[in-house]
């Protein structure tokens, strides 16, 4: 993707992702949202050009069969490898300590409730 911000036909690289195959008949959209930060921008115009390049018959066939956007060898953050399942020991320890914490919370709650009941009985009117 090349951009010409001032309209002087001086094109600069904006983004370059090799191996992108886009389907035909879709629309392009623009957004100023870039993660946690966003800003207001006025988009005056958007011109899209299809480059004429020589392709092999295999590339032509492959591009005609694209129904969803595809990027070859794209590695997204957090998509490196599937997580391994937890071992039986890890699962047991998580359940055990969760139950201990729950019992501890219940005991503390009963103690606080009893203290509150004692305080409410000691009121002199």
């Amino acid at each position: 993707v090349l951009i010409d911000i001032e309209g002087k036909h001086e094109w600069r690289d904006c983004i370059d992702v090799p191996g992108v195959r886009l389907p035909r008949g879709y629309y392009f959209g623009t957004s100023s949202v870039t993660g946690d930060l966003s800003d207001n921008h006025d988009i005056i115009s958007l011109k899209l050009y299809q480059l004429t390049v020589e392709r092999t018959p295999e590339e032509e066939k492959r591009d005609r069969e694209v129904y969803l956007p595809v990027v070859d060898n794209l590695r997204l953050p957090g998509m490196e490898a599937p997580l391994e399942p937890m071992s039986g020991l890890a699962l047991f320890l998580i359940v055990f300590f969760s139950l201990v914490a729950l019992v501890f919370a219940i005991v503390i709650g009963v103690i606080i409730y009893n203290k509150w009941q004692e305080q409410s009985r000691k009121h002199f009117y």
Side-chain angles (χ1 to χ4, degrees):
V1 175
L2 301 171
I3 58 173
D4 177 23
I5 295 177
E6 285 96 27
K8 298 179 181 178
H9 297 290
E10 296 173 3
W11 298 93
R12 297 182 306 156
D13 284 336
C14 176
I15 186 171
D16 183 17
V17 180
V20 174
R21 295 193 315 264
L22 299 174
R24 297 178 181 182
Y26 278 69
Y27 298 93
F28 279 91
T30 59
S31 172
S32 63
V33 177
T34 58
D36 292 339
L37 302 173
S38 64
D39 200 4
N40 291 331
H41 296 278
D42 293 331
I43 298 173
I44 306 302
S45 68
L46 183 65
K47 295 180 184 178
L48 303 172
Y49 300 97
Q50 180 175 344
L51 298 178
T52 305
V53 294
E54 291 186 26
R55 298 183 182 185
T56 63
E58 179 183 302
E59 288 175 331
E60 276 294 325
K61 182 181 178 192
R62 182 190 67 202
D63 286 345
R64 263 189 242 120
E65 294 173 353
V66 173
Y67 294 107
L68 294 174
V70 177
V71 179
D72 297 334
N73 302 320
L74 179 65
R75 298 189 70 146
L76 297 174
M79 299 285 289
E80 287 82 24
L83 296 175
E84 294 180 12
M86 282 195 290
S87 68
L89 178 64
L91 187 60
F92 170 76
L93 291 175
I94 289 172
V95 170
F96 176 75
F97 284 115
S98 297
L99 289 175
V100 168
L102 181 65
V103 169
F104 184 73
I106 289 172
V107 168
I108 295 296
V110 168
I111 291 171
I112 291 173
Y113 179 75
N114 285 337
K115 293 282 185 183
W116 179 73
Q117 286 289 339
E118 258 183 51
Q119 292 294 339
S120 65
R121 278 188 252 134
K122 290 184 179 179
H123 288 285
F124 295 108
Y125 296 106

